[in-house]
Amino acid sequence: MSDEPPTPPATLTTEIVNTLNESEPERLREIATYAEALADHKEREARLKESADEEPVEERPDDLPDDVPAKATITIKEINDNRYYYWQWRDGEKIRSQYKGPVNPDE
């Protein structure tokens, strides 16, 4: 080891360098531990954001008709005291629905 203090990265502000230079060794080790953990966290967040931005592969349910998009969800509508399943999805500004079948009364 050299008797000279280390040279700080040129990207650090004078304020940060001065604060670090004035800190005790124990405090510097705490800062280093925190900085490493924070860097890991930010890298993980960036990876998660990247994977969320990628287009997910949509699996089509087996009973999904060909003319209903994979993003459709199942909703229940009550008509004349009877309950029915409908596929429902957004198509631009409109909500589209397609009949699926009656709701089983045991459900």
Side-chain angles (χ1 to χ4, degrees):
M1 272 206 174
S2 170
D3 289 336
E4 296 295 317
T7 303
T11 56
L12 289 182
T13 64
T14 303
E15 180 183 10
I16 292 174
V17 172
N18 289 341
T19 300
L20 293 174
N21 284 336
E22 294 167 3
S23 298
E24 296 295 321
E26 183 178 333
R27 177 63 137 202
L28 289 170
R29 294 195 196 297
E30 291 171 349
I31 292 169
T33 300
Y34 169 72
E36 191 66 36
L38 183 59
D40 289 345
H41 172 76
K42 288 189 173 209
E43 287 172 346
R44 192 170 40 256
E45 290 282 309
R47 283 193 307 272
L48 289 173
K49 184 177 180 330
E50 270 182 28
S51 65
D53 289 345
E54 293 174 3
E55 194 66 33
V57 175
E58 296 178 359
E59 292 186 25
R60 291 181 66 85
D62 292 338
D63 60 343
L64 185 67
D66 290 337
D67 57 342
V68 174
K71 65 183 177 182
T73 58
I74 295 177
T75 59
I76 297 175
K77 294 184 180 184
E78 190 166 325
I79 302 169
N80 297 330
D81 294 327
N82 295 306
R83 295 166 40 128
Y84 302 96
Y85 287 119
Y86 281 82
W87 292 104
Q88 197 167 60
W89 66 97
R90 181 173 291 281
D91 184 13
E93 294 294 315
K94 296 182 179 182
I95 302 291
R96 304 278 184 196
S97 296
Q98 182 171 321
Y99 177 75
K100 180 179 186 313
V103 173
N104 183 339
D106 297 332
E107 292 181 11

